[in-house]
Amino acid sequence: MIKQYLDEALSNCETLLPAQTETDSSPASTPAQNEQPSPQTPHEQQWMEACQTVANILTSMGFIQEAYPWRSMAFDLVPNSAKFYAESGRVCSQCEAWEQAIYFCQRTLEYDPSNAAVHRQLAQVYHRIGDRTAETQTINNLLAQRPEVAEAEGHFQLGQVLRGQKQLPEAIACYQRAIEQDSQYAHAYYAIGDLWAQQGSQAQTVELFQQMVEQLPKNAQAHYRLGKAYRQTQQADRAIAAFRAAIRLDPHLHWAYMGLLNVLMQRSLWDEAIATCQSVIKA
């Protein structure tokens, strides 16, 4: 029932917005110092009451932080459509009202097409409802319009979407761009390594995790992944060294013990294998 009240309140606010041909992206004017403010017009009063109603409903739903912008918007002499739609989209996403969230985000982008935060929010909504095609298109639009804000996470998210669609070369390219943006973005290394391992590109996998170890020398998982890559390319001595490095960094990383144990057993280094087993028990 409360969500129904929220829908009605948002609809009421929307009816009070200026026509799209009017310019409403600039801040509302305020009276100059020592100048007496003019009396509120009926429209301004209606806008104030409508925004305060949304704020009160959000507060009653427990969305205290989300209510603050509405209390602020209530005092705008001229309603800012872009701000209204952006805040409405954020609220509807919080309430998991996905259709309304999509509508408000799309309307925001009509007024502010380069708004990176709204692009990301819209992509997340599409992800939640399982529309991978729309999610991909939204992220692509952001990367095309705002390449300077194309953070590593954005490229990684797009890679995840493409991976889910079995577009593996395109996914790998996105993960690589994520690493170019942030050479310490661990999840991108893992994702590329997994795909290359599946494709049998073992030499590339070794180079990848060598790079990761250089960038993240204190990351136990990086050393463990490098050890796995060495083992798969029959580089036993290097695999042993990498697994041991991972264990030194994280004594509770049991997979590193298992990797080390397998290599030691393959090389018939039984005393060291027994010692590794004992270490596993203690870890």
Side-chain angles (χ1 to χ4, degrees):
M1 181 63 71
I2 295 179
K3 287 187 177 181
Q4 180 180 344
Y5 291 148
L6 179 61
D7 289 342
E8 292 173 356
L10 292 175
S11 296
N12 185 34
C13 284
E14 189 173 17
T15 64
L16 298 170
L17 294 175
Q20 192 164 358
T21 54
E22 299 178 32
T23 58
D24 59 354
S25 58
S26 57
S29 59
T30 56
Q33 191 174 7
N34 300 325
E35 179 183 337
Q36 292 296 323
S38 58
Q40 276 191 326
T41 66
H43 183 275
E44 291 169 354
Q45 181 66 31
Q46 289 176 337
W47 173 253
M48 173 179 284
E49 292 175 355
C51 289
Q52 289 176 339
T53 298
V54 174
N56 292 338
I57 293 173
L58 290 173
T59 301
S60 71
M61 296 172 69
F63 296 134
I64 308 300
Q65 296 291 334
E66 289 76 5
Y68 290 150
W70 293 92
R71 300 195 189 283
S72 174
M73 280 194 290
F75 294 96
D76 289 345
L77 297 180
V78 178
N80 185 314
S81 297
K83 185 176 180 181
F84 163 77
Y85 285 118
E87 291 299 331
S88 299
R90 190 159 73 97
V91 165
C92 290
S93 295
Q94 289 276 12
C95 297
E96 299 187 356
W98 305 126
E99 289 187 11
Q100 294 97 318
I102 290 171
Y103 166 76
F104 286 123
C105 287
Q106 290 176 336
R107 291 289 283 152
T108 305
L109 295 175
E110 290 178 14
Y111 287 90
D112 188 5
S114 61
N115 189 317
V118 174
H119 276 285
R120 292 194 187 99
Q121 181 178 316
L122 182 58
Q124 290 170 359
V125 172
Y126 283 133
H127 180 80
R128 290 294 299 272
I129 66 175
D131 191 339
R132 298 293 183 260
T133 301
E135 181 185 5
T136 302
Q137 186 60 51
T138 301
I139 298 175
N140 272 329
N141 288 342
L142 170 60
L143 299 181
Q145 292 189 35
R146 297 288 303 277
E148 75 281 5
V149 299
E151 300 172 351
E153 184 178 356
H155 289 297
F156 178 77
Q157 289 177 349
L158 179 56
Q160 292 291 82
V161 174
L162 294 170
R163 183 176 182 177
Q165 296 174 350
K166 307 300 181 183
Q167 300 182 50
L168 302 187
E170 292 82 0
I172 290 173
C174 287
Y175 297 142
Q176 289 172 328
R177 285 196 292 270
I179 293 172
E180 290 173 3
Q181 289 285 328
D182 181 356
S183 61
Q184 296 186 340
Y185 198 86
H187 292 297
Y189 287 100
Y190 300 150
I192 296 174
D194 290 341
L195 292 178
W196 277 347
Q198 292 172 14
Q199 296 172 358
S201 304
Q202 305 299 348
Q204 287 178 288
T205 306
V206 169
E207 293 179 2
L208 173 74
F209 288 116
Q210 285 175 335
Q211 177 187 349
M212 185 179 183
V213 166
E214 290 176 2
Q215 295 297 326
L216 295 164
K218 295 183 179 181
N219 186 306
Q221 279 284 348
H223 290 275
Y224 165 66
R225 295 290 188 115
L226 179 58
K228 280 182 60 178
Y230 280 140
R231 189 182 68 189
Q232 291 166 349
T233 53
Q234 310 303 316
Q235 300 182 64
D237 290 339
R238 291 183 174 181
I240 290 172
F243 287 134
R244 284 178 171 162
I247 292 168
R248 283 195 299 273
L249 290 166
D250 183 358
H252 300 289
L253 187 57
H254 291 108
W255 290 112
Y257 288 102
M258 296 299 101
L260 176 59
L261 181 60
N262 286 333
V263 178
L264 293 174
M265 292 175 63
Q266 288 172 0
R267 300 196 64 184
S268 300
L269 298 172
W270 303 114
D271 290 342
E272 294 183 49
I274 292 170
T276 300
C277 290
Q278 293 172 338
S279 298
V280 173
I281 296 171
K282 294 177 183 178

